[in-house]
Amino acid sequence: MTVPTLSVGTRIAENRDDGRGTLVGYLPVGFPDLGTSIDAAIALAENGVGALELGLPYSDPVMDGLAIQKATETALRNGFRTRDVFTAVEAVRARVDIPVLVMTYWNPVVQYGLDAFADALVDAGGAGLITPDITPDSAADWIATSDRTGLDRVFLAAPSSTDERLATTVATSRGFVYAVSTMGITGARATVDAAARTLVGRLRDAGAENVCVGIGISSGEQVAEVLGYADGAIVGAALVTALAEGGVAGVAAKAAELASGIDAARLGS
């Protein structure tokens, strides 16, 4: 069954027109098992998360912090296969009206076959890919394939990026630009670095329409802070930890707490 694709850029624009920012939630597919990971993703959508990142477990997660590493190791140990990500995307899109991006390191896509991967994602109703370990100038094949399929392509921008690099990233990204709020690996932090606000401003100057900030966000208060200057707040490690410790009910409760920041940001605007 083919599920209609829903662009994350469209959803962010709809929320912005309604005076709201977008909460983006990350969970790895297959943790603690495939069925539970699907239920957990749906629970996010039902508790205020406006767009999903479903992570494709990978054996060498160079960007991920400990909580996500442990979760993806569990998924791989329990038999995760790349095709499971398409099963998960289709199952989520069949039950909730929410854009679903796949966050993946590039090697699994190459091993699967870029065109085959993209076509399977379109058939499942996926919105596109977030690719943390490739840059626009090394992504010619992906750019061509995403143009053919209409999939969103989300590249990362860091505080250390030059103005020239940011301009290239903005021009090449579709859906949103992923602004990395701190240098280093993912994980919840007590404060979201002020560098994020500066980076978002630089991306706006480079012409970015949609910018979402990720890495280090773990509370509703931080979501509200980020949505004061960005279009979206991305949360990963805090949700993975909630799922590990409290199951689907735990991650649903954490999503609702994070989503309280959306209304707080609107009230503060």
Side-chain angles (χ1 to χ4, degrees):
M1 178 182 71
T2 299
V3 183
T5 297
L6 177 62
S7 167
V8 68
T10 298
R11 180 51 49 87
I12 290 171
E14 290 171 350
N15 289 343
R16 184 167 51 236
D17 289 345
D18 192 38
R20 298 165 58 85
T22 300
L23 176 60
V24 183
Y26 166 93
L27 288 174
V29 176
F31 175 74
D33 56 70
L34 181 59
T36 303
S37 68
I38 292 169
D39 290 341
I42 291 167
L44 296 189
E46 293 175 340
N47 285 276
V49 170
L52 286 172
E53 294 180 18
L54 295 186
L56 198 158
Y58 184 50
S59 57
D60 187 23
V62 294
M63 181 182 162
D64 297 325
L66 187 59
I68 294 174
Q69 284 188 37
K70 286 184 174 180
T72 56
E73 287 168 2
T74 297
L76 291 168
R77 194 164 53 244
N78 290 342
F80 171 84
R81 296 292 180 267
T82 299
R83 62 180 178 272
D84 293 337
V85 76
F86 309 120
T87 300
V89 171
E90 184 170 348
V92 171
R93 290 286 293 120
R95 290 178 56 184
V96 290
D97 182 30
I98 187 169
V100 182
L101 293 160
V102 171
M103 188 168 192
T104 179
Y105 295 99
W106 196 240
N107 190 56
V109 178
V110 173
Q111 293 298 317
Y112 195 89
L114 173 54
D115 286 315
F117 193 104
D119 291 340
L121 185 57
V122 169
D123 287 344
L129 296 181
I130 300 171
T131 52
D133 62 342
I134 61 169
T135 58
D137 53 6
S138 63
D141 290 345
W142 165 228
I143 291 168
T145 297
S146 56
D147 281 344
R148 176 180 66 80
T149 56
L151 289 168
D152 289 333
R153 50 179 183 255
V154 177
F155 292 105
L156 275 61
S160 60
S161 299
T162 64
D163 289 344
E164 182 180 13
R165 168 69 65 185
L166 293 184
T168 300
T169 302
V170 168
T172 313
S173 294
R174 185 164 60 216
F176 64 87
V177 178
Y178 191 128
V180 179
S181 64
T182 61
M183 301 300 293
I185 61 174
T186 62
R189 291 174 172 83
T191 59
V192 176
D193 287 0
R197 188 185 296 267
T198 300
L199 177 56
V200 171
R202 293 176 64 205
L203 287 165
R204 300 281 194 219
D205 290 343
E209 182 177 0
N210 297 328
V211 182
C212 298
V213 172
I215 302 186
I217 302 170
S218 59
S219 68
E221 291 80 4
Q222 289 178 337
V223 169
E225 177 187 345
V226 169
L227 293 182
Y229 59 87
D231 303 287
I234 303 169
V235 182
L239 291 170
V240 174
T241 298
L243 177 59
E245 295 178 351
V248 174
V251 80
K254 183 61 179 177
E257 187 270 320
L258 290 162
S260 69
I262 300 173
D263 288 331
R266 197 208 306 237
L267 291 172
S269 61

